[in-house]
Amino acid sequence: MAKTGSAGEALNRVNTNSRPSDLRITDLRVAEIVGAPFTSALVKIYTNQGIVGLGEVRDGASATYALMLKSRLLGENPCDRSEEHTSIEIALWDLAGKAYGVPIYQMLGGRFRDKVRVYCDTDADKPSGTETGKRLKARMDLGFTFLKMDLGLAQISHIPGAVVAPAGVLDGFRTHAGRGRVRTLDERRARNAAYDAQNVPHPFTGLHFTEKGIDLLDQYIHEVREVIGYEVPLAIDHVGHISLQDGIRLARRIEKYAPAWLEDVIPWQYTEQYRQLQQATSVPICTGEDIYLKEGFEPLLNAGISVIHPDLLTTGGILETKKIGDAAQEHGVAMAIHMAESPIAAMAAAHVAVATENFMALEYHSVEVDWWDDIVTGLPKPLVKDGFITVPDKPGLGIDDIVDEVISQHLQPGVTGIWQPTDHWDDEYSWDRTWS
């Protein structure tokens, strides 16, 4: 019989099919998909009490990062562990919330807001700012109140006289390393070369905008603002692998267009260069999507950047991102959240967003993926409505399940099935201490 009264009502929220202290992990499996909007590895962690936790590996990354931890998890209580890889950590929070019958945001200390503002990322692959502005205006017509676009090398590198570059360097940025199997050693070497070319740190590429190039970028964002107006925030990304000095030149030139932020101008490790960049411009400077753990953000917070931009699937997970946001608040720094994956990652980020006071906006990169909402059940459809996500008070992430029929139609090349047995990972072993 259901208990009544205030204490009884609280107990009624607990999943009575579960005894949290006796909960144990029994299996871990993955489903590797593509197009939501990029490549993703969805994760399920199974338990001895029939509760399943959902997680996800960062876009573009390998399912191996989750599978390699399976042997460390088997037999463990998911309610007791929070130090695992991000994809696993999200699933553990989902399991804990489902076991205790509470949403994740409640376990983070409660919420500051009911809805999460979403910013709509829009690749600037059109030949003019006017055309990109029209795409952004279409996002505004859908209800989005915060936008982001690309502005940098990709828009002008094909124009003679716009970019100074050592011979062959620009070619390396026009070819992307492919995924999947390669048939020959030559194909493998070509893929490795493409990967290496795009991992040369910005100060060492020798790329520079000419004055013509800066003029063209100025004209591009001017045309965008002419279409969308100045009432909506517009963030700038994908400047390209340029130097600190060129970043300063671009930032100063576009100050008059009131960007919400200028993102990832240089690698995040160059803290002193970020200090110089922010001190040289009134444009808010933003970085952080590739940083692991709070300790990686602290030098940048001390350097005075204006916006941090963690991705839960890189930082270490839900709890670590909450810590990062709280640390940023102490420095008077806002937190936006990077997210380019499925509704699983979106909901994990949304729970952190409602529980973090200095949150600004959450990235959404799937406005044109018509099957994105169909990946899971149990959430409102559409999940992103009028530019916001409303976070439900359902246990865990708030997701009921993943729809196998949907994801089976969008498998990564070479993947033959979903949730296949992973027994060969059960006995993986490595002595992984980080100190002695």
Side-chain angles (χ1 to χ4, degrees), residues 249-289:
R249 291 172 61 214
L250 176 62
R252 287 174 171 170
R253 181 66 78 86
I254 66 174
E255 285 176 346
K256 56 183 174 288
Y257 303 111
W261 66 69
L262 185 61
E263 183 177 332
D264 294 339
V265 177
I266 47 182
W268 63 267
Q269 294 93 337
Y270 298 131
T271 306
E272 179 55 32
Q273 291 194 22
Y274 265 104
R275 183 192 305 277
Q276 296 175 49
L277 176 60
Q278 185 62 88
Q279 290 178 347
T281 180
S282 63
V283 175
I285 299 301
C286 168
T287 193
E289 68 183 70

Side-chain angles (χ1 to χ4, degrees), residues 74-218:
L74 293 176
E76 296 293 328
N77 187 331
C79 300
D80 293 339
R81 302 182 67 88
S82 63
E83 76 279 11
E84 306 296 349
H85 180 269
T86 297
S87 60
I88 301 302
E89 194 256 16
I90 289 172
L92 300 183
W93 276 97
D94 190 33
L95 284 168
K98 289 172 177 175
Y100 287 107
V102 295
I104 290 173
Y105 69 75
Q106 202 69 61
M107 295 187 286
L108 294 174
R111 56 185 176 185
F112 289 94
R113 54 190 65 84
D114 296 327
K115 298 192 298 183
V116 174
R117 187 184 304 277
V118 169
Y119 78 78
C120 191
D121 198 355
T122 304
D123 295 331
D125 55 0
K126 299 300 180 182
S128 73
T130 299
E131 293 303 312
T132 293
K134 290 177 181 178
R135 291 188 70 200
L136 291 165
K137 183 63 168 62
R139 307 309 201 225
M140 295 169 64
D141 294 340
L142 292 173
F144 290 98
T145 62
F146 205 119
L147 304 171
K148 188 168 83 172
M149 60 172 269
D150 300 342
L151 186 74
L153 278 174
Q155 284 67 54
I156 62 172
S157 62
H158 62 288
I159 300 175
V163 180
V164 175
V169 171
L170 279 177
D171 293 338
F173 290 97
R174 295 185 178 119
T175 303
H176 288 275
R179 294 180 67 91
R181 295 182 182 276
V182 291
R183 292 182 294 274
T184 67
L185 284 177
D186 286 342
E187 288 181 353
R188 185 176 300 278
R189 291 182 69 244
R191 184 172 70 178
N192 291 345
Y195 178 86
D196 292 343
Q198 297 196 20
N199 278 275
V200 176
H202 301 44
F204 315 136
T205 62
L207 297 173
H208 295 283
F209 296 137
T210 64
E211 195 63 23
K212 176 181 178 179
I214 294 288
D215 288 341
L216 289 167
L217 294 173
D218 184 313

Side-chain angles (χ1 to χ4, degrees), residues 116-122 136 139 144-149 232-237 260-261 263-264 286 289 307-311 335-340 359-367 384 387-389:
V116 174
R117 187 184 304 277
V118 169
Y119 78 78
C120 191
D121 198 355
T122 304
L136 291 165
R139 307 309 201 225
F144 290 98
T145 62
F146 205 119
L147 304 171
K148 188 168 83 172
M149 60 172 269
V232 62
L234 176 64
I236 304 298
D237 193 9
W261 66 69
E263 183 177 332
D264 294 339
C286 168
E289 68 183 70
V307 182
I308 59 164
H309 195 227
D311 188 307
M335 181 174 75
I337 298 179
H338 180 272
M339 194 284 298
F359 166 78
M360 181 183 290
L362 167 63
E363 183 170 11
Y364 179 57
H365 219 302
S366 303
V367 67
V384 180
F388 287 86
I389 292 175

